[in-house]
């Protein structure tokens, strides 16, 4: 089921434990499934191919495996994320109902249209009311026309918008409704996992969100407007991840360097010298971590919920373990060594098509 449904089911218990300060969230108008696409032998479907949101982003909604399901799931995988559920709102359709024209303009101009129009987008969004956008742009000395004409300003706007989006709970992917919020909590944002917002209880029917440079308030009646898999909360101003966006406007800037592409192989275990091991919530995030590393050019990700065999590693490999590796074969322009590739291999693997500079090394 969708993350909003998960939030509603858990809200009462967590509220009692956390001492919640806000009202019960509004219930979504309908319920549809959004089961991640799975693959496996004899329709046991043990292995998560990838999360529904990632499948949507990769354009897989019309692929045949989306409908190769068990009889208990006749509607197919990823019904919400693939837009086959017409009784719930996208961020855009709900924002139109809430008359958030400025926020819609900002999202479209910043290039965040997949977040805006994707049915499966999972986040709790702080969307400032009308007037807040122009106030922020004025403080930066920008006009809307300047933002529309300057890709660097659009990038800065996108970073601000993502900082006003609370990421879902890791592993369960449940989104935060007001019933989960308690003063003192620090919430991760889509701007970055280490860049958090702190909940502050302002009183007078309002709850504050404190960022590193300013704060915003959401009134109780403006919380928990549900989309298919998220919420929109109406705030009074944009929270800023930086005091001034100057570092994003300099040229040349690493922010505008196109990252190398990833080549993904499902149910495959690649070899290579281990560089690091981290936890990610998807193979896509594992790929991104490899891109961002100065040494990695090959990665493997554990896709089985019960964990994976250790693949030669001494420690257990849990679901979501992302092992970053270096492959001399990839560094020389070839392919990584394949250690295992069949229906029983619980890993997804990939490699960066262009090796990172200064990362080539010889091994004995």
């Amino acid at each position: 089921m969708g993350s909003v449904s998960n939030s509603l089911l858990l809200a009462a218990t967590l509220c009692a434990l956390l001492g919640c300060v806000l009202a019960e969230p509004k219930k979504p108008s309908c319920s549809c499934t959004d089961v991640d696409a799975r693959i496996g032998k004899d329709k046991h479907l043990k292995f998560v191919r990838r999360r529904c949101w990632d499948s949507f982003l990769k354009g897989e909604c019309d692929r045949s495996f989306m409908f190769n399901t068990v009889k208990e799931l006749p509607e197919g995988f990823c019904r919400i994320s693939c837009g086959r559920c017409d009784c719930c709102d996208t961020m855009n359709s709900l924002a139109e109902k809430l008359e958030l024209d400025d926020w819609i303009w900002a999202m479209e101009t910043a290039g965040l249209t997949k977040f805006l129009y994707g049915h499966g987008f999972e986040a709790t969004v702080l969307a400032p009311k009308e007037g807040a956008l122009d106030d922020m742009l004025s403080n930066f000395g920008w006009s809307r026309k300047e933002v529309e004409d300057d890709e660097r300003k659009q990038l800065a706007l996108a970073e601000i918008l993502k900082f006003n989006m609370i990421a879902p709970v890791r592993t369960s992917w449940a989104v935060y409704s007001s019933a989960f919020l308690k003063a003192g909590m620090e919430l991760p944002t889509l701007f970055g996992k280490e860049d958090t917002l702190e909940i502050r209880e302002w009183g007078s029917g309002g709850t504050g969100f404190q960022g590193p440079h300013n704060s915003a308030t959401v009134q109780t009646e403006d919380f928990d407007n549900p989309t298919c898999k998220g919420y929109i909360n109406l705030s009074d101003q944009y929270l800023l991840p930086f005091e001034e966006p100057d570092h994003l406007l300099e040229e040349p800037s690493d922010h505008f360097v196109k990252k190398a592409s990833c080549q993904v192989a499902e149910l495959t275990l690649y070899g290579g010298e281990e560089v690091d091991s981290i936890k990610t919530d998807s193979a896509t995030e594992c790929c991104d971590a490899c891109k961002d590393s100065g040494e990695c050019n090959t990665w493997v990700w554990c896709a089985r919920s019960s964990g994976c065999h250790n693949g030669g590693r001494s420690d257990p490999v849990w679901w979501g373990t992302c092992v970053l590796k270096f492959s001399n074969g990839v560094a020389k322009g070839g392919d990584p060594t394949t250690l295992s590739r069949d229906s029983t291999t619980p890993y997804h693997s990939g490699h960066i098509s262009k090796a990172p500079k200064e990362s080539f090394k010889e091994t004995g």
Side-chain angles (χ1 to χ4, degrees), residues 62-347:
D62 294 327
R63 297 278 300 275
S64 60
F65 65 77
M66 281 292 184
F67 305 95
N68 183 26
T69 63
V70 293
K71 63 181 180 180
E72 291 82 5
L73 199 68
E75 66 271 28
F77 295 118
C78 304
R79 184 180 177 189
I80 292 176
S81 293
C82 289
R84 299 195 300 271
C85 179
D86 59 4
C87 59
C88 59
D89 282 307
T90 62
M91 290 286 173
N92 181 72
S93 61
L94 179 58
E96 288 181 341
K97 295 175 183 178
L98 297 173
E99 299 182 347
L100 295 173
D101 296 339
D102 288 354
W103 183 77
I104 293 173
W105 177 89
M107 291 286 287
E108 291 181 335
T109 303
L112 300 180
T113 53
K114 289 182 178 178
F115 293 174
L116 191 60
Y117 297 104
H119 288 76
F121 178 52
E122 298 162 313
T124 301
V125 172
L126 303 179
K129 298 177 181 180
E130 299 298 276
L133 176 65
D134 290 322
D135 288 343
M136 180 184 69
L137 296 182
S138 177
N139 289 335
F140 291 156
W142 300 350
S143 68
R144 293 198 188 199
K145 182 67 166 59
E146 288 175 323
V147 177
E148 291 173 341
D149 294 340
D150 190 333
E151 290 185 359
R152 296 168 299 169
K153 289 182 172 64
Q154 293 166 19
L155 173 64
L157 180 59
E159 298 301 284
I160 292 169
L161 288 164
K162 288 189 287 185
F163 189 61
N164 286 263
M165 297 176 183
I166 300 169
V169 179
R170 292 170 68 85
T171 69
S172 69
W173 294 97
V175 293
Y176 285 91
S177 67
S178 62
F180 289 90
L181 303 180
K182 179 186 177 184
M185 288 179 65
E186 292 187 357
L187 303 173
T189 70
L190 296 190
F191 178 76
K193 290 175 181 152
E194 303 303 320
D195 300 282
T196 60
L197 305 178
E198 183 180 352
I199 299 293
R200 300 282 184 87
E201 188 177 357
W202 296 145
S204 302
T207 295
F209 293 81
Q210 180 68 51
H213 302 288
N214 65 335
S215 61
T217 301
V218 177
Q219 299 299 318
T220 300
E221 63 272 16
D222 292 329
F223 270 100
D224 300 330
N225 299 286
T227 63
C228 288
K229 299 191 72 175
Y231 290 107
I232 292 179
N233 300 325
L234 306 182
S235 60
D236 60 349
Q237 66 175 323
Y238 286 89
L239 290 161
L240 303 178
F242 36 71
E243 191 169 1
E244 296 288 342
D246 295 346
H247 68 290
L248 294 179
L249 304 181
E250 298 173 357
E251 291 190 88
S253 170
D254 289 341
H255 291 277
F256 303 99
V257 176
K258 185 175 181 181
K259 292 182 177 179
S261 62
C262 257
Q263 307 298 317
V264 180
E266 296 170 351
L267 302 183
T268 299
L269 177 62
Y270 283 159
E273 179 183 344
E274 183 172 334
V275 173
D276 197 5
S277 178
I278 60 175
K279 169 72 168 62
T280 67
D281 293 318
S282 68
T284 300
E285 287 188 13
C286 185
C287 174
D288 288 340
C290 186
K291 292 176 186 177
D292 292 337
S293 170
E295 299 178 277
C296 176
N297 61 16
T298 304
W299 55 269
V300 299
W301 186 75
C302 176
R304 185 162 59 191
S305 59
S306 59
C308 303
H309 55 74
N310 66 15
R313 302 175 78 240
S314 59
D315 54 324
V317 180
W318 308 111
W319 176 91
T321 297
C322 169
V323 182
L324 306 181
K325 298 185 176 185
F326 180 88
S327 164
N328 275 329
V330 173
K332 294 175 181 179
D335 294 324
T337 301
T338 300
L339 302 179
S340 176
R341 177 181 288 163
D342 57 39
S343 62
T344 65
T345 302
Y347 290 94

